[in-house]
Amino acid sequence: MTSVDAPSTAPWRDAGLPAGERVEALLAEMTLEEKVAQLGSVWLNPPSAGPGAADEGTAWPGVPATGQEAAAGNTAGNTAGNTAGNVAPLQDRFAQDDVDLDERIRGGIGHLTRVYGTSPVSPAEGAARLRRLQERVVAANRLGIPAIAHEECLTGFATYGATAYPTPLAWAAAFDPALVERMARAIGEDLRSAGVHQGLSPVLDVVRDHRWGRVEETLGEDPYLVGQIGAAYVRGLEGAGIIATLKHFAGYSASRAGRNHAPAGIGPREMADVILPPFETAIREGGARSVMNSYADVDGVPVAADPDLLRRVLRDRWGFDGTVVADYWAVPFLATMHRVAEDEADAGAIALRAGIDVELPDTVCYGARLVERVRAGRVEESLVDEAVRRVLRQKVELGLLDDAPLVPEDAGAADLDGPRNRDLARALAERSVVLLSNPAGVLPLDAGTTARIAVVGPCADDPRTLLGCYAFPNHVLGRFPGHGMGLPVATIRESLASEFPDAELGYARGAEVSGDDTSGIAGAAALAAASDLVLLFVGDRAGLFGDGTSGEGCDAADLRLPGVQPELAEAVLATGTPVVLVVVSGRPYALGAYRDRVAAAVQAFFPGVEGGPAVAGVLSGRVNPSGRLPVQVPASPSVNPSTYLQAPLGLRTDGVSVLDPTPAFPFGHGLSYTAVRYGALTVAAPACPTDGVVQARVTVANDGDRPAEEVVQLYASDPVARVARPVAQLVGFARVALEPGRTAEVVFDVPADAFSYTGPDLRRVVEPGVIELTAGPSAADRPLRAEVLLTGETVVLGADRRLTTPARVEGLSASAEPCFPGP
């Protein structure tokens, strides 16, 4: 669709020309106002449909209502004043409902925000809405430039009725990049089929404090694991033609005391060695085309105002040429929250200079305010031009300037919760469940058991406890009563009834996830006392900004189970009936008080719409558990809620401190129903140059009578370095399928770059010296050891450093290759 001033013969519409030429031709035709418009966005924000909402549905500003919206009882406006219904921080303060849509898109717009993901609409209704909006955007600017439509996709396409996959922490627990890539490809194809162009995922924040509410959104506490799983997700999304958005760059997860948006008091070495590597991996090896800034300030400098991170690191050092988009209202936050800007206009100027290309979710500080600053000579127009070039290039790459429908003609016809999606959700859920302990072999339970089983706890029969905070039912539907879940989700209790048809299953909720009501505990304990076995399901219910125990803005004061769940657990344990503890949560909770008292323990990190059958399948043995902990499970709820990446003084130090930070279950831990034996770790050569590759071989055997999938983990230690280094750090992993009685050899080609660190002069170096390699089933259980001597000169690494350790599975007869020089 073109306007009178933008004929189809315009050079920027010639798909045969290189993208750069098309961008420059278009840029040359644009006025300052038109250019700045491309750096803005618009979020048409319908209200909640809770009690007291109007009966008649009316439209978003300028957009006719559709049937389902009318049925929901929407009225014009937004959620202002309804803080509990916010889906972004301080949304009620910033959302705009008093500005006419035509005025907001005059001259064009860069992004349309969450057209599908803001209220419950069917795919067909969402597609019709997006199509009408795009037509209006095109008609409102003389050059006929459409908008990029973006949506959330952290646990799948965040729209009504779309599959809600396991939360990212569960992806990491699966230790399966290939499966995550397949899932992301499916998510991307669903987004693309709906006319969406950009997805606001993945979250690459490395967990530093388990009390932080957004732990569930992360990929764990190890930068290598986060980078590998994150890059796989990016490859899947980008492979489907969707722009992947890495967030939150950078330092967000290091906020003090695990408080959302709190300052991050980390130094440059922690930033370089822990926080930044996953982003670099996802850009260089995943191909991500967009980055979203962190809300936090790092050592006093808000990231949205920090050209060192957004320009020197991201662009100059890594060569990133995609867009940097603001997290929602991060630009006005520079004035209102960080107080580093005088007003909104000043905030916009600071953000643009720092490197923020696009202001999301609404234009507040860019737009007319930025135009005025440029006209007054207070902001260089060249900064506007470079940001607009990046936005326009992505619009060219997406085909938005070609002669093609802006929204696919069959958009809305796709099944967003079809068999393909369900199969992927099921596979990922099953591979993510972690068997923490099973000392007496109580598990697996016989599927034909006739035992009396007490099913107890708030997570047993609530489908929302299976989903993360960005899954649409938890993220949005709380504001729209009457819409249910939007898709079928079997609870764990329902799944247990199918899994154990002959068992006598009794049920008692016992307590809510949160709150102080203890009235149900006595009944739950009585049921437990009259049963042969108790399955106790405790944990979280995800929500936003206090409307949950896990999720954005739902930080925890300590790592006790929420509410009165500890009292429920104690009452059930006091009956003497064997208890299988199943934690369904978004963060690890302290289990030291229960570890030695339960018959077995299982951890499931929000396993998604197929999570109920997955958990039941693990309990019955239909699924042999193969998940591994991407975060350690603490023993104490309050002692050092930190991660496994510790220098010696970060671990237990008898004679130095009386506090013991040793976890109840370590990073990487996970059991199965068979016995896997670690046989040997060998290196191909005793020495290797500092720019070479160390080939390490790990032998594992399945000595049990069940097929297994073992996650073989390779760690490195630097016994003598110029700064304090972690006692062990993951440098490679592989998921290995082992039939009973079979042996396999995992070959890791470890680049010497994996042993690098940031030295006292803040340069990343690989130094000559001894490196100790260890292998095993967890960070605390590394029975195999080998040493390799790095030889040669100290190597200072740059943007071409090698980020991944390739791994492959071979038979024992394969010949070893020698250590070989790097490129």
Side-chain angles (χ1 to χ4, degrees):
M1 181 181 299
T2 60
S3 71
V4 174
D5 290 347
S8 58
T9 56
W12 61 84
R13 295 201 177 276
D14 185 352
L17 291 177
E21 289 186 22
R22 297 176 70 184
V23 168
E24 292 303 321
L26 179 53
L27 189 65
E29 294 292 328
M30 300 174 76
T31 66
L32 174 62
E33 287 79 3
E34 289 168 340
K35 289 188 289 189
V36 170
Q38 292 299 311
L39 308 183
S41 57
V42 62
W43 191 4
L44 299 174
N45 216 1
S48 65
D55 292 332
E56 294 83 20
T58 58
W60 285 357
V63 183
T66 56
Q68 196 157 9
E69 291 163 343
N74 291 351
T75 58
N78 61 32
T79 57
N82 181 17
T83 305
N86 284 0
V87 297
L90 304 182
Q91 176 183 346
D92 51 302
R93 296 190 193 177
F94 287 101
Q96 303 179 58
D97 66 340
D98 57 350
V99 181
D100 181 75
L101 175 63
D102 289 333
E103 182 63 29
R104 294 168 76 175
I105 63 175
R106 188 181 307 281
I109 199 73
H111 278 238
L112 289 171
T113 296
R114 297 184 63 174
V115 176
Y116 284 89
T118 303
S119 64
V121 294
S122 70
E125 290 170 324
R129 171 187 289 176
L130 179 58
R131 188 175 292 111
R132 290 191 299 269
L133 283 172
Q134 286 284 30
E135 289 170 353
R136 294 190 65 175
V137 168
V138 169
N141 72 94
R142 68 183 181 88
L143 298 172
I145 305 171
I148 290 173
H150 76 253
E151 296 285 348
E152 295 286 357
C153 57
L154 189 71
T155 58
F157 186 0
T159 190
Y160 190 68
T163 304
Y165 294 91
T167 202
L169 197 60
W171 313 346
F175 276 75
D176 194 338
L179 181 56
V180 170
E181 183 173 344
R182 288 171 52 206
M183 176 199 68
R185 181 67 181 244
I187 294 171
E189 289 173 356
D190 284 345
L191 290 165
R192 197 67 169 149
S193 73
V196 177
H197 310 107
Q198 183 162 348
L200 303 188
S201 290
V203 170
L204 299 184
D205 300 303
V206 179
V207 174
R208 304 303 286 159
D209 190 322
H210 302 127
R211 295 173 297 181
W212 190 44
R214 304 192 78 168
V215 167
E216 63 167 87
E217 301 177 45
T218 75
L219 297 167
E221 66 187 37
D222 179 86
Y224 183 77
L225 176 63
V226 175
Q228 293 302 303
I229 302 296
Y233 181 94
V234 169
R235 284 192 295 270
L237 210 63
E238 291 279 357
I242 295 294
I243 296 172
T245 309
L246 312 181
K247 54 189 193 182
H248 307 84
F249 187 79
Y252 189 27
S253 59
S255 59
R256 293 192 181 110
R259 293 180 58 247
N260 196 35
H261 293 211
I266 60 174
R269 185 167 296 100
E270 183 175 350
M271 176 68 82
D273 288 354
V274 178
I275 302 298
L276 292 180
F279 292 94
E280 184 178 5
T281 302
I283 289 169
R284 289 182 46 206
E285 299 192 354
R289 288 183 285 169
S290 193
V291 168
M292 177 178 278
N293 73 284
S294 162
Y295 284 121
D297 73 72
V298 179
D299 195 24
V301 182
V303 173
D306 189 357
D308 186 61
L309 277 173
L310 298 182
R311 292 189 182 274
R312 284 185 280 278
V313 172
L314 189 59
R315 299 201 185 279
D316 298 344
R317 190 183 307 168
W318 295 350
F320 178 68
D321 61 0
T323 56
V324 175
V325 299
D327 205 344
Y328 285 14
W329 292 297
V331 179
F333 281 178
L334 294 177
T336 60
M337 306 299 288
H338 294 292
R339 299 184 182 182
V340 298
E342 294 179 355
D343 52 26
E344 291 169 338
D346 190 33
I350 290 171
L352 185 67
R353 288 195 189 99
I356 299 288
D357 295 322
V358 181
E359 182 182 8
L360 299 181
D362 259 323
T363 303
V364 176
C365 302
Y366 285 6
R369 292 182 173 93
L370 183 56
V371 169
E372 290 174 5
R373 289 263 168 155
V374 175
R375 294 270 188 232
R378 300 176 67 182
V379 174
E380 303 90 331
E381 189 169 354
S382 61
L383 293 175
V384 173
D385 289 347
E386 70 173 14
V388 174
R389 280 189 180 94
R390 290 190 279 265
V391 174
L392 293 179
R393 184 179 185 92
Q394 290 189 341
K395 291 190 175 185
V396 169
E397 292 171 346
L398 291 164
L400 290 177
L401 301 185
D402 298 343
D403 186 17
L406 296 178
V407 179
E409 294 179 359
D410 60 350
D415 184 353
L416 300 181
D417 191 37
R420 175 201 62 174
N421 292 7
R422 285 287 175 153
D423 288 346
L424 287 166
R426 183 179 306 108
L428 194 50
E430 290 177 352
R431 293 187 178 199
S432 72
V433 178
V434 183
L435 177 61
L436 298 175
S437 67
N438 191 26
V442 170
L443 297 179
L445 304 176
D446 185 349
T449 181
T450 58
R452 295 170 299 170
I453 300 176
V455 178
V456 175
C459 295
D461 202 32
D462 182 352
R464 292 182 187 268
T465 61
L466 299 171
L467 309 181
C469 73
Y470 270 76
F472 196 81
N474 286 340
H475 196 69
V476 172
L477 287 183
R479 297 182 293 131
F480 296 90
H483 283 77
M485 296 290 289
L487 73 173
V489 184
T491 68
I492 295 175
R493 180 188 177 192
E494 291 167 342
S495 301
L496 290 171
S498 298
E499 199 79 27
F500 303 104
D502 299 324
E504 183 181 333
L505 298 178
Y507 169 69
R509 188 174 184 86
E512 299 299 323
V513 168
S514 59
D516 57 5
D517 183 2
T518 60
S519 61
I521 292 179
L527 176 65
S531 301
D532 301 315
L533 179 71
V534 179
L535 300 178
L536 177 60
F537 297 93
V538 296
D540 283 317
R541 179 169 172 173
L544 296 166
F545 309 110
D547 191 28
T549 57
S550 173
E552 186 173 0
C554 297
D555 312 314
D558 57 42
L559 295 175
R560 294 177 179 85
L561 288 168
V564 297
Q565 291 182 85
E567 287 90 332
L568 173 63
E570 290 296 339
V572 170
L573 286 166
T575 65
T577 303
V579 175
V580 174
L581 178 67
V582 182
V583 184
V584 184
S585 64
R587 64 165 62 85
Y589 283 103
L591 300 183
Y594 317 118
R595 177 184 53 195
D596 299 328
R597 300 161 62 199
V598 296
V602 174
Q603 172 71 59
F605 296 111
F606 292 145
V609 293
E610 292 292 330
V615 170
V618 166
L619 296 177
S620 74
R622 174 175 55 81
V623 176
N624 193 2
S626 61
R628 301 294 184 265
L629 289 174
V631 286
Q632 63 184 17
V633 172
S636 166
S638 54
V639 174
N640 193 26
S642 58
T643 74
Y644 92 99
L645 286 176
Q646 299 293 327
L649 286 175
L651 304 178
R652 177 173 176 170
T653 49
D654 293 336
V656 175
S657 173
V658 297
L659 299 180
D660 183 3
T662 303
F665 301 101
F667 173 86
H669 172 76
L671 305 177
S672 75
Y673 296 140
T674 191
V676 174
R677 173 172 47 86
Y678 281 73
L681 166 61
T682 60
V683 292
C688 199
T690 49
D691 64 351
V693 173
V694 176
Q695 188 175 93
R697 292 174 174 265
V698 179
T699 304
V700 290
N702 183 353
D703 291 343
D705 57 3
R706 291 172 175 258
E709 291 202 9
E710 178 71 7
V711 178
V712 178
Q713 301 162 47
L714 184 70
Y715 294 84
S717 305
D718 190 346
V720 181
R722 290 186 295 153
V723 301
R725 300 285 294 133
V727 170
Q729 184 163 0
L730 187 72
V731 294
F733 64 88
R735 177 178 271 270
V736 183
L738 286 169
E739 293 295 322
R742 296 297 298 274
T743 300
E745 190 172 54
V746 184
V747 183
F748 295 98
D749 294 323
V750 189
D753 300 11
F755 312 132
S756 66
Y757 66 92
T758 301
D761 59 0
L762 299 184
R763 297 188 303 170
R764 180 174 289 279
V765 295
V766 181
E767 296 176 325
V770 173
I771 294 293
E772 184 179 66
L773 294 176
T774 53
S778 78
D781 185 7
R782 298 172 283 122
L784 307 183
R785 283 173 165 72
E787 288 187 352
V788 63
L789 177 66
L790 298 182
T791 61
E793 300 296 322
T794 295
V795 174
V796 178
L797 299 179
D800 60 347
R801 74 184 181 106
R802 294 161 292 175
L803 299 165
T804 295
T805 297
R808 62 189 184 276
V809 179
E810 295 183 352
L812 286 175
S813 60
S815 60
E817 300 175 12
C819 173
F820 52 90

